Amino acid sequence: MSAADCEQQGTGWGILEDLPGDPMIWVLIFSELVAFGLFLGTFVVARAIHPAMFAAGQATLNSTLAGLNTLVLVTSGWAAARATKAARAREPRTTRRWLLIAMALGGFFIAIKLAEYAEEIGRGVGLETSPFFTLYFLLTGFHLLHVGLGIVILAVVCRRAEVSGVETGAAFWHMVDLVWIAMFPILYLVR
Amino acid sequence: MTMPDRLDVTWIALIGLALATILLPPLMPRPLLGNAVLLALAVIKGRRIALDFMDLRAVPALWRGLVSAWIVILLLFAWLASAVAALI
């Protein structure tokens, strides 16, 4: 097949080309969804095996701060979606403004989560307190790392504010949002 | 003043659903029903994020289906596991 044939048939990503942004980010997104799904599934099974221990651990969590973080993250997702819309309209200044709002709210999410950790660690709770807290810290910590990585990606695409880059960064950011939407009730609310 | 578009409507809906998720638990003393309501709210939120923020509304059904299946299967599994633990 010649280079011209390849060009005619797209970039070689097949059906992944139908998705917004760089197809490679979707390979990462689907891998991350599988990883978080298995991790959360493990938590669910462990709770079914040790319901009393998990209920006792959950009762000490601050679900108000976690709920506040849900409001912060969905608002940040909205700002990222508005940035994508502005990038498609070729409005780089508006795009950057929305991306900065999304990143600032992401930073606020991290600050709230760290305050929550500080409160828990101050009470003497740690990774080895119980299997509940081991899974709780690993799951939320893994997610928090993705929030930090998402902010870095948004900062990188903010510089040029062109369509493909912004779509790529926003897609990753929405995945981080989606995972939190599932994680919040499973860890903090389901009894 | 511009009219709210689909993104704004989705954001307002997500804020409303998130507030309901925060405020409802004390009002639902029965865990099985309470868990079902909380997890159903999470499925609705996840679908809105996938369709409107991730922009999967206009892409082939395969991609919408995969992301929707992830959230539905995970949260249904969470409800079933809590139901089994409550009934044993």
Side-chain angles (χ1 to χ4, degrees):
Chain A
M1 188 185 290
S2 70
D5 290 338
C6 282
E7 208 165 284
Q8 261 188 343
Q9 289 175 18
T11 58
W13 283 98
I15 53 172
L16 279 169
E17 286 175 27
D18 296 322
L19 291 160
D22 191 310
M24 195 62 206
I25 200 72
W26 287 94
V27 175
L28 179 65
I29 286 171
F30 285 115
S31 309
E32 297 285 9
L33 288 179
V34 170
F36 273 108
L38 291 172
F39 211 166
L40 284 165
T42 303
F43 180 92
V44 162
V45 170
R47 176 170 48 210
I49 296 168
H50 306 287
M53 179 208 295
F54 274 62
Q58 188 192 57
T60 68
L61 298 182
N62 190 333
S63 61
T64 307
L65 280 183
L68 176 63
N69 254 348
T70 305
L71 299 174
V72 169
L73 209 51
V74 296
T75 304
S76 178
W78 170 67
R82 292 232 68 93
T84 305
K85 190 172 181 180
R88 286 174 184 156
R90 307 278 187 253
E91 295 168 354
R93 286 186 64 177
T94 311
T95 304
R96 287 193 190 97
R97 193 182 69 210
W98 282 113
L99 285 174
L100 286 171
I101 293 171
M103 285 185 276
L105 287 167
F108 193 36
F109 179 97
I110 291 176
I112 292 172
K113 192 67 213 165
L114 291 178
E116 203 184 328
Y117 282 157
E119 182 191 323
E120 285 150 1
I121 292 166
R123 279 190 279 110
V125 170
L127 262 174
E128 294 178 0
T129 303
S130 71
F132 170 84
F133 280 105
T134 304
L135 288 170
Y136 162 78
F137 280 115
L138 289 177
L139 263 166
T140 56
F142 190 45
H143 180 262
L144 199 62
L145 283 176
H146 283 77
V147 176
L149 177 62
I151 292 172
V152 171
I153 294 172
L154 290 181
V156 169
V157 301
C158 188
R159 198 166 153 264
R160 290 180 59 193
E162 52 82 30
V163 182
S164 176
V166 175
E167 284 180 345
T168 302
F172 184 84
W173 195 244
H174 298 314
M175 180 275 291
V176 172
D177 194 3
L178 184 66
V179 168
W180 179 256
I181 288 298
M183 189 180 285
F184 173 49
I186 290 177
L187 262 62
Y188 290 84
L189 303 176
V190 168
R191 284 177 283 168
Chain B
M1 190 173 163
T2 54
M3 290 292 288
D5 61 7
R6 187 193 288 276
L7 293 178
D8 299 328
V9 172
T10 295
W11 173 58
I12 293 164
L14 287 170
I15 292 291
L17 291 164
L19 287 173
T21 304
I22 296 163
L23 298 173
L24 278 177
L27 307 175
M28 291 185 294
R30 294 166 66 184
L32 274 186
L33 178 64
N35 290 343
V37 171
L38 292 172
L39 293 170
L41 288 174
V43 169
I44 297 168
K45 281 181 277 182
R47 284 269 300 166
R48 292 304 295 251
I49 288 169
L51 292 178
D52 297 328
F53 286 1
M54 281 181 140
D55 235 354
L56 298 184
R57 201 176 281 278
V59 304
L62 167 71
W63 302 122
R64 274 197 307 282
L66 276 177
V67 177
S68 296
W70 180 83
I71 191 116
V72 170
I73 291 170
L74 177 60
L75 296 175
L76 184 63
F77 181 61
W79 182 77
L80 284 172
S82 70
V84 168
L87 294 172
I88 290 175

